[in-house]
Amino acid sequence: MNNLIDLHVHSTASDGSFTPTEIIQKASLLGMRAIAITDHDTVDGLEEGEIAAVQASIEFIRGCELSTRHGVYDVHIVGLWIPKDIDKYPEFVTSIQTFQANREKRNNSIIEKLQALGIEISIKEVENLAGGRVIGRPHFAQFLKNKGIVASEQEAFEEYLGRDKKAYVPRKAVTPHEAVQILAKTGATVVLAHPALIPCSLEELDELISELSPLGLNALEAYHSAHSFKDERVLVGLAAKHELLLSGGSDFHGKSKPGVALAKGKGSLRIPYFVLEKMKAKRA
Ligand code: AMP
Ligand code: ZN
Ligand code: FE
Ligand code: FE
């Protein structure tokens, strides 16, 4: 075993291409020490992931990633150590149900837009590409690629699905403030996901962190596949300033996001094990 960890991973329970069991098998082959599954707006994959992880002797952290909207910016909040007895947290359960309902509405609107563009598509066909209940834009991207309408998933986003593109439909979303509070109330460790991907200024990011910290934000995801070393440095500095913990993950989606490997990201990602140790020490 080595010290590799990954605290941001998607499975077929949302828009990743591998089942929780397959992810744990990959983690095992890599000799990973700990992993969190953090599917979008669902905890459906956690049971399966945990069982596989116990068998593989890999430390498993139950996670979830909530998509929120802060003004014009998409902001993602990850919760780690989501309780097993989640039914005892009706606010969390209701909110992920609402998140999923909003997703379904948005998905139907994307279908309508694509149909209006002359593309033959039904929601059933997109659902068939998904392993679970959560259907996201990567499933649409896969559909468009399979049909030969685009050459790659990336092109599907650039032409159709990305922000303000031909078939873009925004999703009704909660604020990051609400998501942080909902997660904090479950006792989860609350992480601001891939902060460098929020296309706001450093001042705005600093301001957002100041607002979220008193509501229960615990950590910044400084280490992420899409972050540069400079991003990491800036975020480590911001975390220190706000007395927050650090987190890190690849945001692995399997084939849905080519070029991003489990634990290793685009190749140079290395999430230090002490990141996890410090979180656990804070929780103890
Ligand atoms: P959704 O949650 O349905 O809005 O889909 C969000 C997911 O789509 C993200 O987790 C990314 O994996 C993917 N995604 C969003 N924007 C892009 C983009 N411009 N290029 C490629 N993938 C993207
Ligand atoms: Zn995703
Ligand atoms: Fe995200
Ligand atoms: Fe993610």
Side-chain angles (χ1 to χ4, degrees):
M1 188 182 303
N2 54 44
N3 265 347
L4 284 179
I5 66 164
D6 194 334
L7 303 178
H8 189 155
V9 175
H10 296 269
S11 79
T12 48
S14 66
D15 55 2
S17 70
F18 295 108
T19 63
T21 306
E22 288 167 338
I23 289 169
I24 299 301
Q25 284 164 354
K26 286 178 188 300
S28 188
L29 284 174
L30 286 171
M32 284 176 64
R33 185 158 171 192
I35 188 166
I37 289 185
T38 56
D39 276 303
H40 299 282
D41 310 336
T42 185
V43 293
D44 285 350
L46 301 180
E47 245 3 89
E48 182 189 327
E50 192 153 31
I51 290 168
V54 167
Q55 281 175 358
S57 301
I58 294 173
E59 189 175 342
F60 187 77
I61 296 107
R62 299 168 53 89
C64 178
E65 180 176 28
L66 301 180
S67 320
T68 77
R69 181 51 81 107
H70 179 56
V72 297
Y73 304 123
D74 285 323
V75 172
H76 291 180
I77 309 289
V78 163
L80 298 173
W81 291 281
I82 302 279
K84 249 186 150 85
D85 51 354
I86 197 65
D87 293 344
K88 296 205 183 104
Y89 302 87
E91 203 189 347
F92 179 83
V93 173
T94 310
S95 67
I96 59 172
Q97 282 165 353
T98 310
F99 275 76
Q100 290 175 22
N102 290 339
R103 234 176 218 292
E104 282 165 28
K105 276 187 219 154
R106 196 244 343 223
N107 290 343
N108 286 325
S109 304
I110 295 178
I111 294 280
E112 283 167 19
K113 282 205 170 181
L114 289 170
Q115 285 171 340
L117 291 164
I119 295 167
E120 277 181 43
I121 182 172
S122 68
I123 191 69
K124 197 91 208 96
E125 289 170 285
V126 183
E127 278 168 4
N128 288 341
L129 297 172
R133 276 186 281 184
V134 177
I135 316 290
R137 284 181 289 164
H139 299 117
F140 285 91
Q142 204 187 327
F143 175 90
L144 293 170
K145 188 184 144 200
N146 291 353
K147 286 279 168 182
I149 294 163
V150 293
S152 66
E153 277 90 353
Q154 194 50 43
E155 193 187 319
F157 275 95
E158 281 160 21
E159 278 271 315
Y160 294 100
L161 303 167
R163 185 73 188 275
D164 299 329
K165 302 300 180 192
K166 284 188 243 173
Y168 176 73
V169 180
R171 181 149 58 101
K172 194 162 170 281
V174 301
T175 63
H177 307 71
E178 290 170 292
V180 165
Q181 286 172 294
I182 290 165
L183 285 167
K185 278 188 202 158
T186 71
T189 292
V190 185
V191 184
L192 180 60
H194 41 71
L197 287 187
I198 309 170
C200 66
S201 68
L202 193 54
E203 289 71 29
E204 285 172 294
L205 180 60
D206 190 58
E207 171 71 24
L208 178 63
I209 295 167
S210 303
E211 291 170 15
L212 298 181
S213 291
L215 301 178
L217 183 73
N218 302 113
L220 300 185
E221 191 178 61
Y223 309 99
H224 183 274
S225 301
H227 287 179
S228 66
F229 289 121
K230 179 167 177 259
D231 294 330
E232 270 180 23
R233 263 205 317 279
V234 168
L235 290 165
V236 169
L238 266 181
K241 175 181 166 190
H242 292 275
E243 296 182 12
L244 292 171
L245 295 158
L246 301 173
S247 186
S250 64
D251 217 344
F252 180 68
H253 281 69
K255 292 170 197 152
S256 319
K257 205 185 246 186
V260 173
L262 192 62
K264 294 173 179 170
K266 288 176 179 160
S268 56
L269 187 67
R270 187 82 174 70
I271 303 144
Y273 187 78
F274 73 74
V275 157
L276 183 60
E277 280 178 324
K278 287 199 174 161
M279 282 194 205
K280 288 200 287 187
K282 193 71 175 251
R283 292 182 62 79

